[in-house]
Amino acid sequence: MEATEEQKILGIVREVLGKPGLGPDDDLFDHGGTSLAFVRVLAEIGQELHVKVRVGDLGGVATPRNITECVVREQAVAAANSEGDPA
């Protein structure tokens, strides 16, 4: 069974922060995350899921669930853009 985007992102966040009990609605910065760790999380997401999430897209809410919503949105935009491109 393939992991959902939220499960993948939660796994990345937990690994980078070293917080295996972190939940989907837990703010990274409230649980010991630093700006450097946050950049690492976004870089890992970009590598693993092939999508770029910009800090400004998050609206100041750094939770795995909010990051997932941004990733899904970016994936939908990329898919819509690729439909218009000739193969």
Side-chain angles (χ1 to χ4, degrees):
M1 181 166 151
E2 187 175 329
T4 65
E5 298 301 85
E6 185 172 49
Q7 290 169 330
K8 291 175 188 175
I9 291 168
L10 188 55
I12 291 168
V13 172
R14 287 173 172 170
E15 182 179 325
V16 170
L17 294 184
K19 302 279 185 177
L22 192 82
D25 294 312
D26 291 334
D27 189 283
L28 279 64
F29 296 106
D30 290 343
H31 291 273
T34 63
S35 56
L36 180 57
F38 188 63
V39 169
R40 284 182 52 216
V41 165
L42 296 183
E44 287 288 326
I45 289 168
Q47 282 187 325
E48 198 164 312
L49 303 177
H50 310 288
V51 65
K52 182 173 183 170
V53 176
R54 292 167 293 281
V55 174
D57 295 340
L58 299 171
V61 181
T63 65
R65 188 177 314 274
N66 192 42
I67 295 169
T68 300
E69 291 171 5
C70 290
V71 165
V72 170
R73 222 176 9 255
E74 287 298 316
Q75 289 172 330
V77 168
N81 288 340
S82 69
E83 288 176 8
D85 293 338

